[in-house]
Amino acid sequence: MSTLLEQEPVTTARRPAPRRDTPPRTPRHGLPWVLLILLAAVAVIAALGWAARERAASASGAAFRAPIPVRQAPAIRGEEIAELTTPPNVPKPITRTYATKVIVNLEIVEKTMRLADGVSYTFWTFGGSVPGRFIRVREGDQVELHLKNHPGSMVPHNIDLHAVTGPGGGAEATTTMPGHESVLRFTALNPGLYVYHCAFAPASLHVANGMYGMILVQPKEGMTPVDREFYVMQGDFYTKGAYGQPGLQPFDLQKAVDERPDYVVFNGAVGSLTGDHALKVRTGETVRLFVGNGGPNLTSSFHVIGEIFDNVYAEGSTVAQHNVQTTSIPAGGSAIVEFRTETPGKLVMVDHALFRAFSKGAVGLMQVDGEPLHGAFAGRISEGPFTQK
Ligand SMILES: [Cu+2]
């Protein structure tokens, strides 16, 4: 039995013998084929390496390498009517595992309500409250929004939802005269917490009168279960009379242009989240606040005195930051704030631009009841006269 080495001369022997009148030549095709194969191998290895690096870069969150996904409306199954809530309540979490058609019935009402003790204001509202009704849908849902402008309204209105991909967020498509109804259809492609507002010209005036609210597009994977969810939205208001001046106060255009609000409040009025209206939780509970800022002008420095945010989904996005003290919420923006309560007592929600809190109304309370937990807080452990040592 011959070895491979022994066979080599046999192969060579089969080639035709070179003619005596021509010089010996290198075989014409041998070397180029080897080169081609080598080059192809190098190209394949390089391509595989590039693809691997791309995958690693996007998976590791490398700088400027986040993927830009293709989002398409999925097939939908069935339909349902959205549960809408007034602040500070939030519709219950969606447990559906598929996309559906969601019908949202939203009625615009212009109405005079309390802005502070003894002070009233004619608000323009989505659903009769400031902020407007909270809408909760699931990523991929097809939303059919029925926008009704009450026959008693003085002016046309519309809705721009920041959750919409399309012209004006749906504003032009929904401009509705008093006593009429418009129907808008869109697919909630991107998960997140989005502001909606009226954008009928002048949009700044409609927003200044309280025409905003929020829509949560719940990620299709769902959200971390929590014990309590609340809806809080800041807004700034501009009145002819100074803070606290009693009576029905008209809108002051010049103060709005100058960004000098008389009132900065949570949920449409001074004291809407204090006293009997304080949010109520127990120690050891997990709390999620859906916080929005309608503006029209101010950015909120949202802070809860006596608590640390375990998670903040800044700007209503889907990526969490941890251990945050104060989060910035722009006008027309939002944040999802989550924490676990350890200590009984009052937590105080404020805009930490503190004159807004203590001179213009931006204060809300959360009453925490129950036993103190985890040794988080011992309170004052001694008190006595100051002594020089
Ligand atoms: Cu409007």
Side-chain angles (χ1 to χ4, degrees):
M1 193 176 176
S2 60
T3 67
L4 286 173
L5 283 174
E6 287 168 336
Q7 285 176 358
E8 190 60 24
V10 176
T11 306
T12 307
R14 280 181 186 162
R15 289 177 189 149
R19 284 168 55 177
R20 290 190 177 204
D21 55 347
T22 55
R25 289 187 304 175
T26 310
R28 188 174 290 173
H29 303 301
L31 191 54
W33 273 112
V34 169
L35 276 174
L36 279 175
I37 290 167
L38 276 173
L39 284 172
V42 168
V44 167
I45 290 167
L48 287 174
W50 176 82
R53 282 195 302 277
E54 286 292 300
R55 277 196 304 275
S58 58
S60 68
F64 305 131
R65 300 305 294 269
I68 302 173
V70 175
R71 297 186 188 276
Q72 276 185 312
I76 59 165
R77 184 154 36 116
E79 70 175 53
E80 63 187 42
I81 295 178
E83 175 198 5
L84 305 181
T85 57
T86 50
N89 301 309
V90 178
K92 58 185 174 300
I94 294 168
T95 54
R96 254 188 299 114
T97 56
Y98 55 90
T100 194
K101 174 179 168 182
V102 179
I103 297 168
V104 175
N105 291 307
L106 201 52
E107 184 179 334
I108 292 164
V109 187
E110 301 171 2
K111 67 191 282 196
T112 300
M113 296 188 289
R114 177 186 169 279
L115 176 57
D117 287 343
V119 183
S120 55
Y121 188 87
T122 301
F123 296 91
W124 295 351
T125 75
F126 288 101
S129 60
V130 178
R133 300 295 170 99
F134 195 103
I135 306 168
R136 188 171 200 153
V137 300
R138 180 182 179 275
E139 178 184 356
D141 280 349
Q142 182 190 93
V143 181
E144 186 178 287
L145 191 149
H146 294 245
L147 189 69
K148 301 162 200 205
N149 192 357
H150 192 276
S153 293
M154 303 298 288
V155 294
H157 298 285
N158 63 25
I159 189 167
D160 167 353
L161 301 109
H162 293 178
V164 166
T165 300
E172 290 88 344
T174 56
T175 293
T176 308
M177 298 298 289
H180 284 249
E181 171 181 342
S182 298
V183 182
L184 173 72
R185 180 182 293 162
F186 67 93
T187 299
L189 291 177
N190 297 61
L193 178 63
Y194 298 96
V195 168
Y196 67 77
H197 61 90
C198 182
F200 191 79
S204 48
L205 169 63
H206 288 244
V207 171
N209 283 343
M211 283 201 87
Y212 43 77
M214 288 204 287
I215 174 170
L216 173 68
V217 182
Q218 192 177 286
K220 55 179 182 282
E221 300 82 11
M223 301 175 75
T224 303
V226 292
D227 298 306
R228 309 278 177 184
E229 291 184 330
F230 299 107
Y231 172 21
V232 177
M233 200 161 181
Q234 182 170 323
D236 29 288
F237 290 88
Y238 304 81
T239 52
K240 289 289 181 197
Y243 178 89
Q245 189 169 317
L248 175 60
Q249 290 294 330
F251 170 71
D252 189 310
L253 176 62
Q254 193 57 53
K255 286 181 183 174
V257 171
D258 294 343
E259 303 190 9
R260 286 187 293 112
D262 300 281
Y263 296 86
V264 182
V265 297
F266 296 128
N267 290 2
V270 177
S272 63
L273 294 172
T274 60
D276 292 343
H277 305 294
L279 306 178
K280 291 176 181 59
V281 306
R282 295 196 62 79
T283 52
E285 288 188 326
T286 47
V287 179
R288 174 178 293 137
L289 302 178
F290 295 106
V291 190
N293 185 6
N297 287 323
L298 302 186
T299 293
S300 175
S301 302
F302 186 74
H303 176 79
V304 177
I305 299 172
E307 192 48 83
I308 298 161
F309 305 145
D310 292 299
N311 302 323
V312 171
Y313 296 86
E315 297 176 9
S317 74
T318 50
V319 178
Q321 295 173 305
H322 306 294
N323 307 319
V324 176
Q325 59 195 300
T326 302
T327 191
S328 186
I329 308 178
S334 69
I336 302 171
V337 164
E338 298 172 348
F339 52 89
R340 190 183 294 269
T341 54
E342 282 89 16
T343 307
K346 281 187 171 56
L347 300 175
V348 187
M349 296 174 277
V350 294
D351 181 334
H352 212 297
L354 284 175
F355 279 98
R356 300 175 187 172
F358 300 118
S359 303
K360 297 186 175 183
V363 174
L365 296 179
M366 180 176 291
Q367 178 65 44
V368 186
D369 292 322
E371 294 299 312
L373 299 175
H374 313 310
F377 184 73
R380 194 207 308 259
I381 57 169
S382 77
E383 198 276 335
F386 172 83
T387 51
Q388 194 86 45
K389 290 184 178 169

